[in-house]
């Protein structure tokens, strides 16, 4: 990887990968240096800016300037796979309370900036991916109606049943079992129409849901027995 960076110093991707390598080895400063170069080499890309925010999580660093830069880039340039991956990584960290410097509303502001970008608006695919993440954010914020609506819209725009799978897992985690059942039924209908291509995705979700329902029924019976 270091050879690749030496041979292609203007490659933002190579700089970002080397940043990950150094971060995993405990060299935060070295990682940030490479991310700084990645941002310089890819000025139309907000992925490396969010990447830097993620690496600075728990460091106590003020990230407002980075957030502002990410929003400016998101408003002006098309979303990329790197950007979407950086959004997903930050959302995981926020869900696990591993980034006190960031919050859901701040991440939402970047997503909404990307949604307003003209080229993104002309294509359903990037908007669909962004709506998928918005759905997850609203679920975590407790706005379950918006969360489900954005996730379903993301599926409609991308056609990716994995979005419905992630939505189902989130609903089970939030104990919204009736809603999870409804999404699984939608997936089963899609599966029937596609000749069973989604069976491997659906069966574990059905088993997970049934396991939670069984546990809840057992707990309810135990509570009833104690009350008697």
């Amino acid at each position: 990887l270091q050879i690749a960076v030496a041979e292609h110093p203007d490659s933002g991707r190579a700089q970002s990968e080397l940043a990950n390598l150094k971060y995993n080895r405990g060299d935060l400063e070295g990682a940030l240096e490479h991310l700084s170069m990645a941002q310089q080499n890819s000025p139309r890309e907000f992925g490396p800016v969010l990447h830097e925010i993620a690496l600075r999580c728990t460091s106590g660093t003020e990230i407002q300037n980075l957030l502002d830069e990410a929003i400016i880039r998101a408003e002006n340039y098309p979303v990329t796979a790197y950007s979407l991956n950086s959004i997903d990584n930050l959302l995981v960290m926020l869900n696990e309370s591993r980034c006190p410097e960031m919050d859901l509303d701040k991440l939402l502001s970047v997503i909404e900036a990307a949604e307003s970008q003209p080229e993104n608006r002309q294509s359903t695919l990037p908007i669909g991916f962004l709506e998928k993440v918005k759905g997850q954010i609203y679920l975590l914020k407790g706005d379950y109606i918006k969360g489900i609506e954005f996730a379903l819209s993301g599926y409609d725009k991308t056609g990716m049943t994995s979005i419905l799978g992630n939505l189902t897992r989130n609903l089970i985690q939030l104990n919204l079992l009736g809603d999870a059942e409804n999404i699984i039924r939608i997936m089963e209908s899609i599966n029937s129409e596609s000749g069973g291509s989604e069976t491997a995705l659906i069966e574990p979700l059905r088993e997970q849901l049934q396991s939670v329902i069984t546990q809840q029924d057992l707990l309810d019976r135990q509570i009833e027995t104690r009350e008697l």
Side-chain angles (χ1 to χ4, degrees):
L1 185 55
Q2 288 178 321
I3 293 174
V5 172
E7 292 179 348
H8 306 282
D10 294 333
S11 169
R13 180 177 179 182
Q15 295 288 357
S16 296
E17 290 299 328
L18 191 54
N20 282 332
L21 181 65
K22 293 206 170 184
Y23 180 80
N24 291 333
R25 291 177 176 176
D27 183 4
L28 176 59
E29 290 305 314
L32 294 177
E33 287 178 8
H34 285 287
L35 277 181
S36 177
M37 287 185 277
Q39 290 169 39
Q40 293 174 28
N41 294 341
S42 304
R44 296 166 57 90
E45 168 70 78
F46 67 86
V49 185
L50 293 186
H51 192 167
E52 179 173 347
I53 290 175
L55 295 195
R56 288 186 180 276
C57 286
T58 72
S59 69
T61 305
E62 172 58 50
I63 55 93
Q64 188 60 51
N65 289 340
L66 288 169
L67 182 63
D68 292 342
E69 177 65 20
I71 290 172
I72 290 171
R73 294 187 181 202
E75 288 175 337
N76 287 282
Y77 304 112
V79 70
T80 66
Y82 184 7
S83 301
L84 293 171
N85 187 56
S86 296
I87 289 173
D88 283 338
N89 288 340
L90 264 176
L91 184 57
V92 169
M93 297 180 76
L94 289 171
N95 188 33
E96 297 174 353
S97 301
R98 292 193 287 120
C99 193
E101 292 82 358
M102 193 72 168
D103 60 41
L104 293 171
D105 288 323
K106 290 176 180 176
L107 185 57
L108 188 60
S109 68
V110 178
I111 293 170
E112 291 176 341
E115 285 182 315
S116 72
Q117 202 277 333
E119 289 182 56
N120 292 336
R121 292 173 62 185
Q122 292 174 7
S123 175
T124 57
L125 199 59
I127 294 297
F129 284 121
L130 292 168
E131 287 185 341
K132 181 258 307 187
V133 183
K134 282 182 76 172
Q136 292 175 287
I137 288 175
Y138 277 112
L139 286 175
L140 292 173
K141 284 166 63 69
D143 191 336
Y144 304 132
I145 293 176
K146 273 190 176 181
I148 294 171
E149 286 178 350
F150 277 118
L152 291 176
S153 180
Y155 164 72
D156 286 340
K157 289 181 174 66
T158 65
M160 295 183 63
T161 51
S162 60
I163 291 177
L164 300 181
N166 287 333
L167 173 59
T168 303
R169 280 186 284 272
N170 289 334
L171 292 171
I172 293 172
Q173 181 183 6
L174 294 166
N175 207 37
L176 300 172
L177 305 185
D179 291 316
E181 174 67 34
N182 290 335
I183 301 302
I184 288 178
R185 288 177 181 171
I186 292 173
M187 295 175 68
E188 288 173 338
S189 176
I190 295 168
N191 192 44
S192 177
E193 294 172 0
S194 65
S197 62
E198 305 299 336
T199 300
L201 175 63
I202 296 170
E203 286 186 347
L205 294 173
R206 173 64 72 185
E207 292 173 2
Q208 182 183 358
L209 176 61
Q210 189 56 52
S211 175
V212 174
I213 291 173
T214 300
Q215 291 174 10
Q216 282 203 346
D217 288 344
L218 178 59
L219 181 60
D220 290 341
R221 287 196 296 270
Q222 290 175 342
I223 292 173
E224 290 175 0
T225 301
R226 290 171 186 170
E227 289 177 348
L228 293 174

